[in-house]
Amino acid sequence: MAEGSDTTLTAEQTPGQAPPQGLVAGIKSFAAGHGGAKAVIEYVGKRGARIVLVGEDGVWGDQFADDTVVAREACAKAGVTVENAWERELMDQMRPSNDLWRSMARRTMAR
């Protein structure tokens, strides 16, 4: 019986890929419009990485990047702090809009 590996296999990513200017501009625009922002980056498989932005006023939105490295570089260039995980304080700061609550209710009621 073969022994298992205690290391994690990861894809090699080359640092230094410049993030798209539109992505950086979108993050900067969100942060400027909401009194600053923090970000959480989520890996979403082949799609890439989702950057969830939480504004200081509680409004949140998202952007997509090709991978997590590009997402982190875009946030760094935009001057937005990246959190390592969903901390309680960050989640408590989020204020979903009424439209979001209505759309979630429709999905639940349709089941």
Side-chain angles (χ1 to χ4, degrees):
M1 179 175 250
E3 291 292 319
S5 173
D6 62 350
T7 60
T8 303
L9 179 63
T10 57
E12 292 294 322
Q13 296 181 356
T14 58
Q17 295 174 320
Q21 289 302 314
L23 178 60
V24 175
I27 295 170
K28 279 184 182 178
S29 174
F30 182 89
H34 299 284
K38 292 182 181 176
V40 176
I41 298 172
E42 300 173 337
Y43 174 71
V44 290
K46 290 181 182 179
R47 174 74 167 98
R50 179 181 185 206
I51 306 168
V52 181
L53 300 163
V54 181
E56 291 298 321
D57 59 358
V59 175
W60 59 280
D62 60 1
Q63 298 276 335
F64 279 90
D66 292 337
D67 60 37
T68 57
V69 173
V70 172
R72 287 187 179 279
E73 288 179 10
C75 288
K77 284 191 175 190
V80 172
T81 303
V82 176
E83 298 289 328
N84 289 328
W86 284 104
E87 299 292 334
R88 169 170 269 199
E89 293 82 15
L90 186 60
M91 291 179 67
D92 287 345
Q93 184 178 337
M94 294 176 75
R95 300 285 176 243
S97 68
N98 288 335
D99 291 336
L100 180 61
W101 284 117
R102 279 191 289 275
S103 73
M104 288 189 295
R106 281 192 296 266
R107 281 186 231 144
T108 302
M109 301 299 274
R111 290 183 190 179

